[in-house]
Amino acid sequence: MRFAFTDDQVAFRDAVRDLLAKECPPEVVRAAWPEGEVPGGAKPGEGARADADRLDAVWRALADMGVLGIAVAEEHGGLGMDELNWVLIAEETGYAALPHPFVETVCVAAPLLGRADLADGSATATVQPGRDEPVPWASADVLLAIDRDAWTLTVHDEWEADAVASVDGARQLASVRASGGEEVGGAALAFDRGALGTAAQLVGLGRRMLDLTVAYVVERKQFGVQIGSFQAVKHHLADAALDLTFAAPAVHRAAWSLATASPDASRDVSMAKAMASDAAHRAGRAALQCHGAIGYTVEYDLHLYVERAAALSRAWGTAAWHRGRVGRALEI
Amino acid sequence: MRFAFTDDQVAFRDAVRDLLAKECPPEVVRAAWPEGEVPGGAKPGEGARADADRLDAVWRALADMGVLGIAVAEEHGGLGMDELNWVLIAEETGYAALPHPFVETVCVAAPLLGRADLADGSATATVQPGRDEPVPWASADVLLAIDRDAWTLTVHDEWEADAVASVDGARQLASVRASGGEEVGGAALAFDRGALGTAAQLVGLGRRMLDLTVAYVVERKQFGVQIGSFQAVKHHLADAALDLTFAAPAVHRAAWSLATASPDASRDVSMAKAMASDAAHRAGRAALQCHGAIGYTVEYDLHLYVERAAALSRAWGTAAWHRGRVGRALEI
Amino acid sequence: MDLEWSSDERRFRDEARTWLEAHLAEWKAGHDGDLSGDTRDGFARHLVWEQMLFADRWAVVSWPEAFGGRDASLWEWLIFEEEYYRAGAPQRVTQNGIFLLAPTVFEFGTPEQQAHILPRMAAADDQWCQGWSEPNAGSDLASLTSRARRVDGGWVLDGQKTWTTRGAFCTHLFGLFRTDPESERHKGLTYLLVALDTPGVTVRGFGRLDGDEGFAEVFFDEAFLPDDALPGGVVLGGEGQGWSVAMATTSSERGLTLRSPGRFMAATARLIELYRSAPDDPLLRDRVTRAWMKAEAYRLQTLQTVTGTVEGRPAGAETSLVKIWWSELDVELHEVALDLLGADAEATGPWSKGWQFSLSGPIYAGTNEIQRNIAAERLLGLPRR
Amino acid sequence: MDLEWSSDERRFRDEARTWLEAHLAEWKAGHDGDLSGDTRDGFARHLVWEQMLFADRWAVVSWPEAFGGRDASLWEWLIFEEEYYRAGAPQRVTQNGIFLLAPTVFEFGTPEQQAHILPRMAAADDQWCQGWSEPNAGSDLASLTSRARRVDGGWVLDGQKTWTTRGAFCTHLFGLFRTDPESERHKGLTYLLVALDTPGVTVRGFGRLDGDEGFAEVFFDEAFLPDDALPGGVVLGGEGQGWSVAMATTSSERGLTLRSPGRFMAATARLIELYRSAPDDPLLRDRVTRAWMKAEAYRLQTLQTVTGTVEGRPAGAETSLVKIWWSELDVELHEVALDLLGADAEATGPWSKGWQFSLSGPIYAGTNEIQRNIAAERLLGLPRR
């Protein structure tokens, strides 16, 4: 019995963390948002603070580090590693709100398709996690369409995509129509990997929102004192930390269950996704509330993470959907 | 449009409030609890603080004031008044945790059976609000058994009762077996009146727990200050007040709906019971938490109200059961 | 107790409903799709709607006829609001003037000020934004530092306001300025009325979470505000009296006038429609039912409050609880809708936009943390510390 | 990461399970029905069980063999606890000694004190209760006023302790006394070990919400406590060092040692059984699932913490979050059970009694409000004010 990651896994995580801190600051996330007008109105200030040149660079840097191929088989140029080796990295991509299809490409498509171009960063994949659901990262090269009722998975190289405005402008959401394609096996495993990667990102997002808020309430004064000294603020943030502290082990365990092909893997993934969705949601609410009006503006960075968390908490199955799957596994 | 009670209704409420403050203090509620040992262990301190002589006196005083016959037809010696005239009084009996079958006798049985002995206090009634449910006030003279599936109501003058220990020792809970009896009409209306009276009592109980707690946290010091000055304590109690403030109008409206035979009466009663159950529950949790260890002892009075609220919040249909009925009325 | 409307009130409702249906259709025919009033183009289009309301005296029903209203009772006001939201009529881009400034003008304005300001506000000729918050004075309003220096024939303004909703599109700003430089906290403040085209005043709009340019920063750089910029003068309620004048406004902001039950009744009605259009789900049904009950309880509590107001028992500290209730209900009902939509909730739409907007409710007009403090201290009597 | 038990650990589990099944049946055969350890008769009967545990070295598995344990690893301790609760074994009436006092004796006791106190505690020959709280010092432990005056050959104790769980039945009390009358707050306190039959000490039991006489007040009236009342002396950790000694105990109270995951895993397993016995209800199914997930997450978080402890990375301020989590989970899972029971929940039974007991969780061992403060300040770094 040992519930901890190896030193190598932690070191790889730390390296990715450092890379993303440097290469994927908020202005890179902003660069993925559409310029100028969005359907709801103007986005002033976005353009000025966005750094478009670096948007592709971060993905290339991840490729160079070997991160993109972590789950690609070695014969296709990857590292051939399992979920335990990428779950912490997925968490970091959530912390950074990485505006690229990490979960879809690295966690789902790469181990399934075994394509070298996914490992070296020259191609990306996206996933439709359920029939008729919207698809993010619409400019990807390959689409995996999962049917969560029939548990089938179809690989499409071509499809039609109509852009859909997302609450998270970086996600490049689309409504897709695809016909033909190649049906391959492993739909349930692919879905579980995607849900796990998304759960890990939600934990990372929750931590980012909590960190931003802690920094803000220590800095900001009202009524002559730091607002972080108010008990109500302390308790909001302690509650956010509470849920994240207990969601994270659930996510890590789910990675172990997938890596060891445990018969409980789907249950464990669903527990992870349900808890991570709720924890990120609570962290987002606490973050906004403790920031006050500034958190509600697009000039401040918080919204980049709040909107991502809102999107991911309902993508790959809502918390309630996943609890339903846990309940069935418990035979209740 | 006028959402307020008449001066007469308020004056009657005030008179009952004064009477109960004098005649039904905690030591009278304690007197209704069983002496000495209960299945879980000893109840030391109960006996010493109970005032058994006054237990019957409070019921007689209510009879003398005309309260017990408020809903009995005038030809049977009552006041022949409707739900709007007793709902505030039911609230006061909750505030006092009156250890007598007020809802069952005054709100449910009296208008249905039209018996003079219920109005003058010489007889009491109890109700089984659903098939196989436990019955409080087991020493009552008449039992109305309601079947909430078939919506029938059977009046029993004789039945067998096996005492069941209740979390609220004053309730005289029993498991009953009754055969025969007389089936009468009006089961749904009788149930709605009982649920309304119980909802009103829950609002009163919530207010009592809140009042006790406010008094305690103003008095009690920790860390050199009144504990009521801590923001966490303030917010617990503000939340309790919040739910009570919005549950009360729902209860009062349900009384109007019943009194005017509104087609929405059952929906409105269910909304009232659901909200009052949740509000009293939240008030009880806040009260216990803000009291700390002393609220957890039987020597302190709080438990008398917490236990009653726990019993009533699930009697006459749980909050979820009532929300289900509201949802059906909304056709969802 | 009588929870039925009189025949006069029912007639008033019918009249409002008929007018709204016809004129909304007309207004909506003039542009494509849903339009936010918090963008420059949308704001202009909303002013057309405001002018239609004013032309038929629906802009400010509860105001005296002399100022453009109908002298409607509070009950009629409630009915109008119910019908307004029921019809799906647009947000009132003039609301900060009508609901925040106007009550103060009624209470503290001179007859000359009232006669000038109120009809132009009702007609949307002038559009007022609020200038309360500053970069370092949000919830702690008394710490503001924007100042007005008395000079011959007027005031010289310096400093910065922020979070002024729709400030980039409005014509006028009302707000507090420190007129006694030696003063601290609540003292030495004056309530000033400032045209935004005053030289030395700069407005910069910026974006809100929901994607609209709904906020603005307003900079005052040695801006000279002449005493006669407005008939009756630019000071509301007397020099140095700003705090008590503003607090009167703040309390109207927190009470009935800001959030009529009609808005939440209409939103829960739409939520119920949304539920009916989706596959049956007992968990979501329970949450929809809860949201409906809370909106209904809000309506009932408002009826109780209006009864008290009409009968001379005005609402007290429980207005803090009212603010908590509607703002948390608003978030809750939108979150239920998003959970109903599931993966589709991510797409921008009325529910996701409404959710983003709802998140501001627990923050503005006094955070819910402060409201809970107020309720505990003033309603329950807990010590201030 | 390896979440499987070794074959040695599985053997240990089998041994524990087999022993518990056999001996529990034997013990339960000796009395009728469920029996609370927090009544006088129940306590006595529970001591029989404690002696059975001790006889076969199951009383304190993680202690050194010299003191009655098995030198079990933390993993084995976790396994034993899982099996203990899974088997439905009774509460440990000796737990306040074993889990609160013993770690302090291990850390601060002299060899002579350890040799005397620990084996007698493990054997339940001495039963220890805690003397922390006073009528005016609950969460604010540093404000306590019970005092011990130094006299020739011992101490004279005066004052009052309260909320001492099972104090009416125990033989000994450990607690803090003010030994420097000039001192304030955390200073001048000494950790004393007091036999309750010391002349001048009076114990009065009183009732808890759940109907048991589980609490006691302990009065000290010029009670003379000789230095040699216990081998090695009655002071633990040095005169005037009481606060730091006690804090070490408090942190063990808050961490792993007090609430093993086994308890909540067993409770949720019973909750699932209860759900299966009732008509299907999607709302309750969801709540049962939530409770199970929280218990499971608690188990996982514990495995993570134990791994860290074993590998030399001991838990820090997150123990405050752990206390919040298990105590609120405990309330939640019992409330789900009561809602499942509906009207029958009112009847006294294991679930209603468990619910009443659970309500004390967010209060004792540092209220959850204080735990949230600690988490915010020490884990997140928010200012203390």
Side-chain angles (χ1 to χ4, degrees), chain C residues 99-101 103-104 107-108 132 141 191 243-259 305 314-320 322-323 326 365-366 371 374 378:
Chain C
F99 293 122
L100 302 183
L101 173 59
T104 320
E107 190 170 348
F108 296 97
W132 290 151
L141 200 52
Y191 194 119
W243 183 260
S244 53
V245 174
M247 284 302 100
T249 308
T250 304
S251 70
S252 77
E253 184 186 28
R254 285 172 187 162
L256 177 65
T257 49
L258 188 61
R259 290 284 173 246
T305 303
E318 70 267 26
T319 52
S320 288
V322 171
K323 196 257 147 160
W326 67 249
Q371 302 296 350
I374 294 173
R378 299 194 200 156

Side-chain angles (χ1 to χ4, degrees), chain C residues 8-24 49 53 56-58 61 70 76-87 89:
Chain C
D8 279 355
E9 286 159 346
R10 288 200 300 274
R11 264 194 302 278
F12 179 85
R13 184 186 293 277
D14 288 343
E15 188 189 345
R17 183 175 298 188
T18 305
W19 188 92
L20 284 162
E21 276 172 17
H23 291 77
L24 262 177
W49 170 248
L53 285 170
D56 291 336
R57 290 195 300 122
W58 292 111
V61 294
R70 316 186 153 222
E76 287 170 329
W77 178 78
L78 274 181
I79 290 167
F80 176 73
E81 292 281 306
E82 284 181 14
E83 291 303 317
Y84 191 86
Y85 286 105
R86 183 186 166 281

